[in-house]
Amino acid sequence: MNPYLLAVLALLLAAIAQTSAAWIAAESFWRKGQGSNSRRSWLALTLAAGLLALHSGYTLELALRTGLYDLRQAILAALIGLLFALGIYGLRRQA
């Protein structure tokens, strides 16, 4: 498989995973019946996931516009995004 295509797909997966993590954290933030500390924690996770999703999106845009990519970094971003989304999903189930 073409390394450029693989990097673009990995960056796309990273952006989708981080956006999903932000969505899950935002839903948990808006849930009623929580203490203020819990709501602040969910807000911090929402903002962090949103910023990571923006970073992945900008990196994807850079790769598409210029053709510059780093396959190792793209795969690492995809793994981090998936693990972060799974971690937030697990935290939401516990709360």
Side-chain angles (χ1 to χ4, degrees), residues 45-94:
L45 285 173
T46 301
L47 293 174
L51 289 173
L52 287 171
L54 279 175
H55 178 267
S56 296
Y58 288 147
T59 307
L60 177 62
E61 180 186 13
L62 178 69
L64 290 174
R65 284 187 182 210
T66 65
L68 298 174
Y69 66 95
D70 184 357
L71 182 59
R72 289 181 297 172
Q73 188 175 13
I75 291 173
L76 185 61
L79 289 174
I80 290 168
L82 288 172
L83 291 175
F84 192 68
L86 287 173
I88 287 183
Y89 179 73
L91 284 174
R92 184 186 72 161
R93 290 190 53 146
Q94 283 182 348

Side-chain angles (χ1 to χ4, degrees), residues 17-29:
Q18 290 296 343
T19 303
S20 299
W23 184 267
I24 292 168
E27 283 182 343
S28 297
F29 170 74

